[in-house]
Amino acid sequence: MTINRALDQWIQEMAQLTKPDRIIWIDGSEGEKSRLTQEALATGELIELNHEKLPGCYLHRSAQNDVARVEHLTFICTDKREDAGPNNNWMSPEDAYTKLGRLFDGSMLGRTMYVIPYSMGPIGSPFSKIGIELTDSIYVVLNMRIMTRIGQAVLDQLGDSPEFVKGLHSKGDLDPEKRFICHFPEDNAIWSVGSGYGGNVLLGKKCLALRIASYRGRFEGWLAEHMLILGLEDPQGNVSYIAGAFPSACGKTNLAMLVPPETIKGCKVWTVGDDIAWIRIGEDGRLWAVNPEAGMFGVAPGTSPRTNPNALAAVQRNTIFTNVLMTPQRTVWWEGLGEAPEEGIDWKGNPWTPDNGEKGAHPNSRFTAPLSQVSCISREWESPQGVPLSAIIFGGRRARTAPLVYQSFDWAHGVFIGATMASETTAAATGAIGVIRRDPMAMLPFCGYNMGDYFAHWLEMGRRTPNPPKIFHVNWFRTDDNGKFLWPGFGENLRVLNWIVERCRASGAAVESPIGWLPADGAIDTTGLDISPDAVRSLFEVDREAWAADLADQARFFEQFGDRLPAEIRRQWEGLKGRLGA
C-alpha cells in the first residue's frame, strides 16, 4: 500500500500500543465499502433503511452519553500553556501522551484497526493536507469515505514524505470519564479516545481542518476558518464568492445552499462549501478559498423543504443518518421536517409516539452526505486553486443588538467585528442551550492556539493582502418586543446578499453609523415581503444603550488574553466606544 517508512513505523508503534487483532488498509474501493457496510449491519452498528425510498441510506445510533462535541474534554497540547491560550483547555504533551496512552493500551484487543489515508482538499491541490486516521470504528471509516478523499490515491500523493497528520482513534469503552480529544499541533498529531460521535472522531473535520490547520496556517501564512463558501450569480451571469462564519446550527448550511425566492428573478446561489474554508493570498492580491471537505455533516433537526430544500434533496440517497427517528416504513424523521409520523423508533432505539413527551430525534442528530449530490453545487467546488473572495460575512443570533446587516469601515475594523461576535449556544455542543457567549469568527471551539495571536494573524493577513474582501456582519434573528423574528430569513436572505455584493462593487447605497456602514433607506429590496416600515426601521436601529452594555461585555471577554491581545483590537474598541458616546 505504501513506500512511506515514517508512516509504516508510526502504524507499527500505534498497533503495539492498541493491540488490534488485525490491521486493514482502506483503499477507497466500492467493493471495500460494500464489505464494510455488511459487517456494520451484522453488528448493528448500522441499520438498513428503505432502499426504495432512501437508496444507499443507513441509520446509526450512538451511545446515549455520546451525542455531541465535548469541548470540556477537548485539549490543545503545546509545550507552553500560553500558546494554547485561555480559549482552549490545555494539557502538556507529556501528560497527555501518558494519560491517553494508558487508555489506548490494549483498546483495540478483539477489534480491527483500520488505516484511513485521506486528503483534506482535492488531491494534489496546493491547499490540501494529508492525514492518516487509525480507528477501530467502521462507522468512522464509512463517514470518512463521504467527508474526505480517501484511499490509495492519497498514499500515492503522499509518497515517502513524513508530512502527514497522525490521527489515532479508539472507541474504547465509550466511558465519558475516559473520553479525551487531544491535539498536538507541534507534533502534527491528534488522539481521540472514548467517543464514537462524529465531531469527536472524524479526525479530518474539526480536529485537522480547523484546530491543527489553524495552527499551521498561522506559521504558513494562511487561514483555516469555520466558514461556508457560496457563489452568488447575478442575472448577467457574474459570480461573486462569499465566505461566511456562523456558529454551528445557526443557519450556515441553509445559507450555503440558499434557494432564491420566486420574487427575485435571475439570481442563483452556488454551493462551494457548507462548513470549512481554507483561505490563502493569491498571486492576484486577492484572498482565495477552498473547501477542504468532500461531504456535509449537517444538523438534521430544522432541515425541511422550507428551510433547506437543497440539503434535504441531497440526503435522499447515499447518506448515513445519526440519531434520527426511524419510521415504520424504515424512512427517517426529525423535529422540523414536517408532520410527525404516528409512531416510530426514536434515536435511543425506543418505541415513540408524538405525545410521549420525548424527542424523536436528538437535537444534534446528523446526516452525512456527499456534497456532489447537492443540486446547487458549484462547478468550482473542487477547483485546486479555490475561488476568489469578494466578501466575508460574520453572523450570529442576537435578539436586539446587531442590525440585520452592516459593513465594516475597513479590514481592521472587520477583524474587530469578527472578534466580538456573539451568539446563542445550541445543541451542537454539550452544555446549556440558549446562553449568549462570545464566539469570535465562530472559531472559539476550534482555534488551535491562543486567540489573541489568532486576531493578530487576521490583522497581518489584511496587511499582506493588496485587495482583501469587504467584511460584513449579519443577524437574521433580530426580534420585536414580543420575541417575534422581524426578518423572514431563509431564501429572503438573498436580498441582503445582493446588497453585500453591490457594496463590493461600489454600487450599493449606505449610510455611516457608529458601528459601520448600514444600508441606506430602500437599498435592500423588500418588494413583496410582508414586513412593515416600522419593522424595517427596527431591523437597522442602533440602540446605543444596548451597544454600551455590549461594549462592557466585549472588554471583559478581551481581558482574558492579556498582552497577547493586539493593540489594534484595543484601538478598535476605543474607537467604537467613542463613536457611541458611551
Side-chain angles (χ1 to χ4, degrees):
M1 290 287 291
T2 182
I3 59 171
N4 193 306
R5 291 183 180 179
L7 175 55
D8 273 337
Q9 180 179 349
W10 173 66
I11 292 173
Q12 291 174 19
E13 292 173 358
M14 296 302 98
Q16 289 172 2
L17 173 64
T18 58
K19 303 174 179 61
D21 283 13
R22 59 176 180 161
I23 299 174
I24 291 180
W25 288 72
I26 297 302
D27 62 22
S29 67
E30 287 300 313
E32 174 185 77
K33 174 187 176 184
S34 177
R35 183 177 68 254
L36 293 176
T37 300
Q38 292 306 311
E39 288 184 29
L41 290 171
T43 62
E45 197 164 356
L46 290 183
I47 299 168
E48 187 171 319
L49 296 172
N50 185 331
H51 281 190
E52 290 186 4
K53 296 181 180 293
L54 296 170
C57 292
Y58 299 90
L59 171 64
H60 171 77
R61 296 190 184 110
S62 67
Q64 294 180 31
N65 65 10
D66 188 27
V67 293
R69 295 192 320 270
V70 282
E71 294 178 16
H72 66 292
L73 299 175
T74 300
F75 293 84
I76 300 296
C77 305
T78 50
D79 285 339
K80 297 179 180 178
R81 179 191 290 266
E82 57 267 29
D83 289 342
N87 47 293
N88 286 305
N89 300 314
W90 177 82
M91 195 185 307
S92 73
E94 181 181 5
D95 288 348
Y97 283 129
T98 300
K99 181 187 290 285
L100 272 67
R102 295 192 187 104
L103 299 176
F104 274 113
D105 190 2
S107 64
M108 295 189 188
L109 277 168
R111 303 178 183 177
T112 298
M113 172 188 281
Y114 300 97
V115 180
I116 312 173
Y118 65 95
S119 176
M120 298 306 295
I123 296 173
S125 165
F127 280 85
S128 298
K129 300 293 182 184
I130 288 176
I132 307 292
E133 177 165 0
L134 310 181
T135 181
D136 55 10
S137 167
I138 291 179
Y139 173 76
V140 168
V141 176
L142 294 175
N143 275 271
M144 289 290 282
R145 282 186 60 95
I146 296 172
M147 294 302 301
T148 71
R149 289 88 173 169
I150 70 169
Q152 186 60 47
V154 177
L155 291 175
D156 294 342
Q157 177 67 32
L158 179 63
D160 61 358
S161 171
E163 282 297 313
F164 60 91
V165 179
K166 300 179 286 292
L168 177 63
H169 164 251
S170 174
K171 293 179 291 185
D173 55 12
L174 298 178
D175 182 350
E177 299 300 318
K178 302 175 183 177
R179 182 174 297 159
F180 295 94
I181 298 89
C182 287
H183 305 73
F184 305 87
E186 293 157 346
D187 296 342
N188 219 18
I190 308 158
W191 280 20
S192 171
V193 66
S195 176
Y197 168 73
N200 301 324
V201 301
L202 305 181
L203 301 186
K205 193 166 175 59
K206 307 299 191 189
C207 296
L208 189 163
L210 289 179
R211 297 189 187 102
I212 295 294
S214 63
Y215 179 92
R216 294 190 62 172
R218 176 192 174 197
F219 294 101
E220 296 173 4
W222 53 282
L223 295 167
E225 298 299 324
H226 188 206
M227 289 182 174
L228 66 85
I229 313 170
L230 65 81
L232 178 55
E233 182 177 337
D234 66 18
Q236 291 72 45
N238 303 304
V239 180
S240 300
Y241 292 97
I242 299 170
F246 299 79
S248 293
C250 285
K252 189 161 75 273
T253 299
N254 295 352
L255 186 63
M257 301 177 189
L258 183 147
V259 176
E262 294 182 359
T263 53
I264 301 179
K265 304 297 183 183
C267 291
K268 298 177 182 178
V269 170
W270 301 105
T271 305
V272 180
D274 75 313
D275 194 45
I276 297 174
W278 287 357
I279 303 171
R280 295 179 184 269
I281 302 172
E283 294 180 359
D284 61 358
R286 295 184 292 177
L287 291 184
W288 289 67
V290 69
N291 169 23
E293 300 187 290
M296 55 180 174
F297 183 65
V299 177
T303 303
S304 71
R306 175 172 174 261
T307 63
N308 199 335
N310 282 325
L312 191 62
V315 303
Q316 300 304 304
R317 63 190 192 281
N318 305 319
T319 297
I320 298 173
F321 296 95
T322 300
N323 293 338
V324 299
L325 178 139
M326 184 171 68
T327 72
Q329 296 76 37
R330 302 185 78 82
T331 59
V332 295
W333 181 84
W334 49 77
E335 280 71 16
L337 181 56
E339 184 177 354
E342 294 182 359
E343 60 180 345
I345 304 297
D346 70 12
W347 71 273
K348 300 177 183 178
N350 299 324
W352 178 90
T353 60
D355 57 359
N356 73 351
E358 298 286 335
K359 295 282 188 182
H362 188 273
N364 194 41
S365 56
R366 297 278 175 159
F367 50 75
T368 316
L371 267 173
S372 59
Q373 295 181 177
V374 175
S375 61
C376 59
I377 196 71
S378 168
R379 60 180 178 270
E380 301 293 335
W381 86 278
E382 290 194 290
S383 169
Q385 301 302 320
V387 296
L389 295 179
S390 296
I392 290 174
I393 298 173
F394 296 121
R397 287 177 176 263
R398 300 305 302 270
R400 296 299 178 88
T401 309
L404 176 63
V405 60
Y406 64 101
Q407 180 187 349
S408 70
F409 294 124
D410 53 32
W411 179 269
H413 181 227
V415 174
F416 172 76
I417 288 172
T420 54
M421 272 177 59
S423 188
E424 298 174 9
T425 53
T426 73
T430 53
I433 297 174
V435 177
I436 295 294
R437 72 169 186 176
R438 295 286 159 188
D439 192 359
M441 286 80 165
M443 281 287 286
L444 191 66
F446 309 119
C447 183
Y449 61 102
N450 190 308
M451 203 152 230
D453 297 336
Y454 171 79
F455 299 149
H457 180 46
W458 262 84
L459 292 166
E460 177 63 20
M461 285 289 290
R463 287 190 286 267
R464 292 176 49 226
T465 307
N467 187 21
K470 307 294 184 185
I471 297 179
F472 300 80
H473 186 282
V474 300
N475 175 30
W476 317 128
F477 305 100
R478 191 146 181 174
T479 61
D480 61 16
D481 292 338
N482 298 315
K484 181 181 178 181
F485 291 126
L486 293 168
W487 182 250
F490 305 118
E492 303 299 348
N493 293 338
L494 180 62
R495 299 170 186 267
V496 175
L497 296 183
N498 279 335
W499 179 78
I500 287 173
V501 170
E502 288 173 359
R503 290 295 295 167
C504 294
R505 296 175 180 172
S507 61
V511 293
E512 188 173 352
S513 81
I515 64 170
W517 293 99
L518 293 168
D521 288 344
I524 291 183
D525 181 16
T526 58
T527 304
L529 289 183
D530 183 17
I531 184 170
S532 69
D534 286 344
V536 172
R537 281 191 291 272
S538 295
L539 279 167
F540 298 107
E541 180 185 5
V542 177
D543 184 330
R544 290 175 181 261
E545 186 174 326
W547 274 90
D550 205 61
L551 272 171
D553 190 67
Q554 292 171 16
R556 286 190 293 271
F557 178 77
F558 286 143
E559 282 176 2
Q560 64 186 305
F561 301 108
D563 59 7
R564 301 292 270 262
L565 185 73
E568 180 60 36
I569 296 295
R570 299 183 191 276
R571 282 193 291 269
Q572 291 291 335
W573 185 89
E574 292 288 351
L576 176 59
K577 180 181 178 181
R579 292 191 299 273
L580 288 167

